[in-house]
Amino acid sequence: MYLQTADLSVGYSGKALIKNINIGVEKGKILCLLGPNGSGKSTILRSITRHLKKIAGTVLIDQEDMNNFSSVESAKKLSVVLTDKVAPELMTCEEVVATGRYPYTNHFGKITEADQRIVEESMAAVSILDLMNQEFTRLSDGQKQRVLLARAICQKPEIIVLDEPTSYLDIRHKIELLGILRNMAVKEEVTVVLSLHEVDLAAKLADTIILVKDNHVYGCGCPEDVLNDAVIKDLYGIEHGSFNMLLGSVELPKTCDLEPKVFIFGGDGSGTLCYRALNKRGISFCTGILYHNDVDYQVAKSLAKQTIVEKSFRPVSEFVFEQARKALLKCDVVIDSGFDLEGEDNRNKVLLELAGNANKTILSLRHQPIKANANWEKNVEYFDDISSLISSEGLKFRSNNSRERKLHRSLAASI
Ligand SMILES: Nc1ncnc2c1ncn2[C@@H]1O[C@H](COP(=O)(O)OP(=O)(O)OP(=O)(O)O)[C@@H](O)[C@H]1O
């Protein structure tokens, strides 16, 4: 391991918060700490960078105890981007970035032409050349974050440590920053140690993940092997809503758990936006017939009251078809999200016709009206977009049960 901790204990005022931390990362690889708020990620990072006094144990760089390094030697090896509010009065961004070159300057801190070139290259790498002459303290939090990253890059370190570097960044700058770190690791063999709150980004960026929870290192390893929906749920204590590791997406909690009055035909990703739109309005729904490998299934299993699903690449079995038929007939309203109608034995097409024959209200997002039976034509209404569908008369519920109606209304009103 290039950077390694040996029985490291970290904490405050001599009291250990997390004990016996033994983690490490190879040269040119990326290690990411994940864990809930207050779990101790910053405390670990600050102890590694010597911004916080260790309680016990050792931090080794290339097998050598970091305590043996002078501050200049340490600054040449390791640069740091922490979340502290650094407020260098009256300094321009260029001057702040240039402080990254100090470990390499003479006693008078004189910046050479070569240093200046590195300063400008580092600023270009994080797209802040236009901020060069602006006063640092007047920047937004996201701009400051990028300036501090440029300073760390400009230090030409072997190791870079970053505490929640994406926290103030918009999505473009998050992608850019993580891309820069990945490039530094791959092309310049820089070792990166950081903490992130975005599990999906951590999984895509890191070679090794360290999970921190309840004052201990709770798990570690390659993110592809370590992270899954159940681990994330447990790590963060998610009780309502869900995180889907495969898609890297969050679904908010279900807003209604009543018997559904709406059946949504999904498939090929056509259902997902309808599921979320109905959930926002507090409308319970069931959906089918989906295949396990459909992206709609990943979302439906979080949001639908009932999901009727068949194993991938198989004809729909009679059992599954019957489940869907029963669920459909219990509903008042059918939403046709515009799934693919192709295929000789398309069971969803058969169900759609059945919905017409059963005089269900059919709300369709299909761009090309389909020719089904006369009952379908009589009951279908076409919509150009989800907003008009969602506010249509068809979705103003006609529940027979007054308690359900009240519940539906109060849930919808609370959203
Ligand atoms: N200066 C301090 N003195 C004493 N306790 C502290 C200090 N700073 C943080 N703590 C405590 O240490 C624990 C871990 O905090 P830390 O900042 O390391 O968590 P974190 O995982 O980085 O959290 P977040 O994701 O919210 O940034 C928390 O309970 C926090 O209250």
Side-chain angles (χ1 to χ4, degrees):
M1 292 289 172
Y2 186 64
L3 175 72
Q4 199 172 357
T5 67
D7 294 330
L8 177 68
S9 292
V10 301
Y12 298 92
S13 314
K15 201 163 163 250
L17 183 74
I18 309 179
K19 290 183 190 159
N20 300 325
I21 304 164
N22 291 294
I23 57 177
V25 55
E26 304 281 0
K27 192 167 175 54
K29 301 284 185 224
I30 301 183
L31 177 141
C32 179
L33 303 186
L34 281 177
N37 289 135
S39 56
K41 303 177 295 295
S42 303
T43 310
I44 296 175
L45 292 179
R46 279 159 198 274
S47 306
I48 290 176
T49 60
R50 302 201 293 195
H51 285 76
L52 186 64
K53 199 169 176 311
K54 301 184 302 261
I55 306 287
T58 321
V59 178
L60 301 150
I61 296 181
D62 208 6
Q63 310 295 332
E64 189 165 355
D65 188 336
M66 257 187 88
N67 282 343
N68 300 337
F69 296 129
S70 70
S71 55
V72 170
E73 279 171 340
S74 165
K76 284 182 181 169
K77 291 238 176 249
L78 185 145
S79 71
V80 179
V81 182
L82 296 178
T83 46
D84 281 340
K85 294 268 177 264
V86 264
E89 289 292 318
L90 300 175
M91 280 175 89
T92 65
C93 293
E94 186 186 12
E95 287 164 343
V96 172
V97 175
T99 58
R101 295 305 301 159
Y102 284 165
Y104 301 93
T105 55
N106 61 21
H107 281 308
F108 303 105
K110 183 149 173 40
I111 294 274
T112 63
E113 266 180 36
D115 288 322
Q116 184 58 30
R117 222 176 18 255
I118 296 172
V119 169
E120 285 172 26
E121 280 166 11
S122 310
M123 295 184 84
V126 295
S127 316
I128 53 162
L129 278 175
D130 55 327
L131 301 178
M132 199 169 246
N133 298 316
Q134 289 206 31
E135 200 183 309
F136 179 80
T137 47
R138 295 193 182 183
L139 300 182
S140 74
D141 287 336
Q143 290 169 324
K144 280 183 188 154
Q145 193 78 337
R146 283 154 56 207
V147 172
L148 295 178
L149 177 67
R151 182 177 69 172
I153 293 175
C154 165
Q155 214 172 307
K156 293 278 173 203
E158 291 176 19
I159 301 166
I160 180 165
V161 178
L162 310 98
D163 191 9
E164 294 173 27
T166 52
S167 49
Y168 296 113
L169 300 185
D170 65 41
I171 188 69
R172 172 195 146 186
H173 290 112
K174 272 183 198 187
I175 296 169
E176 278 187 14
L177 176 133
L178 300 183
I180 291 166
L181 295 179
R182 198 10 103 192
N183 270 335
M184 286 170 78
V186 171
K187 296 190 181 144
E188 295 161 39
E189 276 218 300
V190 173
T191 306
V192 180
V193 179
L194 79 168
S195 62
L196 286 175
H197 277 303
E198 300 90 339
V199 181
D200 53 323
L201 296 182
K204 286 164 195 156
L205 175 78
D207 299 292
T208 304
I209 291 281
I210 306 287
L211 308 179
V212 189
K213 188 188 178 186
D214 296 339
N215 303 339
H216 72 285
V217 174
Y218 157 101
C220 69
C222 169
E224 286 76 10
D225 297 329
V226 170
L227 298 178
N228 59 48
D229 294 0
V231 166
I232 299 302
K233 205 170 171 176
D234 192 38
L235 178 68
Y236 290 95
I238 301 171
E239 285 174 13
H240 306 289
S242 62
F243 180 78
N244 185 307
M245 202 51 227
L246 193 63
L247 304 181
S249 66
V250 167
E251 296 306 331
L252 299 185
K254 254 190 233 173
T255 53
C256 179
D257 214 25
L258 297 174
E259 273 311 300
K261 298 280 175 238
V262 181
F263 186 100
I264 301 179
F265 281 97
D268 299 327
S270 64
T272 290
L273 295 180
C274 292
Y275 303 154
R276 290 182 181 144
L278 262 69
N279 192 49
K280 274 194 252 179
R281 266 89 180 167
I283 300 173
S284 175
F285 60 88
C286 49
T287 185
I289 300 173
L290 301 176
Y291 281 107
H292 272 128
N293 63 351
D294 198 310
V295 68
D296 281 341
Y297 173 62
Q298 297 297 327
V299 180
K301 65 184 182 183
S302 297
L303 299 182
K305 175 77 177 168
Q306 185 188 1
T307 303
I308 297 115
V309 60
E310 180 56 273
K311 293 194 182 95
S312 310
F313 308 115
R314 307 241 179 121
V316 173
S317 68
E318 276 316 305
F319 174 75
V320 170
F321 182 80
E322 195 48 28
Q323 262 187 321
R325 194 185 69 84
K326 280 189 185 147
L328 173 74
L329 292 178
K330 276 197 223 158
C331 292
D332 297 334
V333 179
V334 165
I335 294 179
D336 164 25
S337 60
F339 66 93
D340 186 3
L341 282 168
E342 293 297 311
E344 273 184 20
D345 186 27
N346 191 322
R347 304 297 272 164
N348 274 342
K349 193 172 175 192
V350 175
L351 280 174
L352 209 51
E353 292 192 357
L354 198 142
N357 285 336
N359 283 323
K360 304 292 176 190
T361 300
I362 302 165
L363 312 175
S364 179
L365 284 163
R366 204 166 286 282
H367 297 307
Q368 292 281 320
I370 54 171
K371 298 227 174 324
N373 55 35
N375 280 329
W376 161 271
E377 299 288 342
K378 191 174 81 192
N379 294 310
V380 70
E381 190 179 350
Y382 288 100
F383 296 89
D384 289 333
D385 49 38
I386 291 187
S387 66
S388 45
L389 179 144
I390 218 80
S391 50
S392 68
E393 282 302 309
L395 280 178
K396 302 219 161 77
F397 277 110
R398 301 171 308 254
S399 169
N400 292 329
N401 178 328
S402 69
R403 188 180 146 267
E404 277 192 18
R405 215 168 36 229
K406 258 192 222 151
L407 266 169
H408 265 298
R409 260 198 244 111
S410 65
L411 267 168
S414 68
I415 295 167

